[in-house]
Amino acid sequence: MPAILAKKLGMTQRFLEDGRVERVTVLEAGPCPVLAVRTQDVDGYVAVQLGFDALRERKLTKPELGHLKKVGAPALRTIKEFRDEAGELVVGETVTVENFEVGQTVKVAGKSKGKGFQGTIKRHNFAAGPKSHGSHNVRAPGSVGASATPSRVFKGIKGPGRMGGGRVTQKGLEIVELIADRNLMLVRGSVPGPKGATVEVRTDA
């Protein structure tokens, strides 16, 4: 199964045999029960629905609990569908880190950290103005439109605004270690989102 839901636990480092240090992100991946399998004939598309992160039943609505109890699954915080990832899975089966292999390349999608309202230098990597004596353009965006014609700023101009807090997919992350008894997956590199965030892990085809 090339897809699983995981929780980002944080980053650490591994020391290799040649003395080099590599930065890795630790993910608590699964176990994820299969809640539904969508087929082309019945649903019009192919997908598999996975659940993750158990919680108290009182946190869910009755329709949500009914959907989970129909397949014998406990109360789960996150339910996601993965398109074109059904494979040979059946409802009631459980996806774990054992479905992946060390050396596999995956892509991880999640919600990035929110940065709040930021200026153009931080948000769009604009260059700063001169910092010499008398400069009034240290961190200003500069000219964004003409004065007389068209007497307005065109839509789509890069400007200050809300930064972060959107869906981000990080590709090309290699699995460097799997700890099956603790449901842990270590990938080389950084993963979007803060500690404790739920992310989606897929094989990077």
Side-chain angles (χ1 to χ4, degrees):
M1 174 61 195
I4 196 171
L5 292 167
K7 179 187 293 184
K8 179 180 176 180
L9 300 183
M11 293 196 71
T12 186
Q13 56 188 14
R14 294 173 74 246
F15 291 91
L16 306 180
E17 294 180 356
D18 57 1
R20 292 186 296 112
V21 179
E22 65 177 3
R23 281 73 178 173
V24 296
T25 302
V26 183
L27 303 175
E28 183 183 348
C32 296
V34 179
L35 306 179
V37 176
R38 312 299 186 190
T39 60
Q40 186 68 39
D41 297 335
V42 178
D43 305 285
Y45 66 100
V46 177
V48 60
Q49 187 182 87
L50 302 180
F52 178 65
D53 198 7
L55 77 166
R56 296 179 182 178
E57 288 191 0
R58 65 182 179 85
K59 297 286 187 178
L60 300 180
T61 63
K62 287 185 178 180
E64 291 171 334
L65 289 173
H67 176 65
L68 294 169
K69 289 182 178 180
K70 189 182 298 183
V71 295
L76 298 170
R77 185 184 307 275
T78 305
I79 297 175
K80 292 281 186 181
E81 276 195 5
F82 294 88
R83 287 288 187 108
D84 304 320
E85 302 285 3
E88 303 296 329
L89 292 175
V90 295
V91 175
E93 194 174 347
T94 301
V95 180
T96 65
V97 293
E98 295 178 344
N99 294 82
F100 292 82
E101 300 176 357
V102 174
Q104 232 175 352
T105 303
V106 296
K107 55 183 178 181
V108 181
K111 188 177 181 180
S112 64
K113 293 181 181 179
K115 307 293 184 180
F117 191 95
Q118 299 296 334
T120 54
I121 291 179
K122 181 170 182 177
R123 191 183 187 206
H124 298 297
N125 199 29
F126 276 21
K131 296 180 175 62
S132 57
H133 179 70
S135 174
H136 296 285
N137 186 26
V138 178
R139 294 181 69 88
S143 176
V144 291
S147 58
T149 304
S151 299
R152 64 188 178 88
V153 177
F154 287 113
K155 290 183 179 181
I157 296 294
K158 292 181 179 180
R162 180 176 174 274
M163 180 181 177
R167 181 179 174 86
V168 176
T169 301
Q170 185 69 40
K171 298 183 178 181
L173 300 176
E174 182 183 350
I175 300 176
V176 296
E177 187 175 350
L178 295 172
I179 307 176
D181 57 338
R182 298 172 60 187
N183 299 316
L184 296 181
M185 175 188 296
L186 277 65
V187 296
R188 181 183 292 115
S190 59
V191 166
K195 293 179 181 178
T198 300
V199 295
E200 305 165 19
V201 182
R202 298 178 178 86
T203 52
D204 194 1

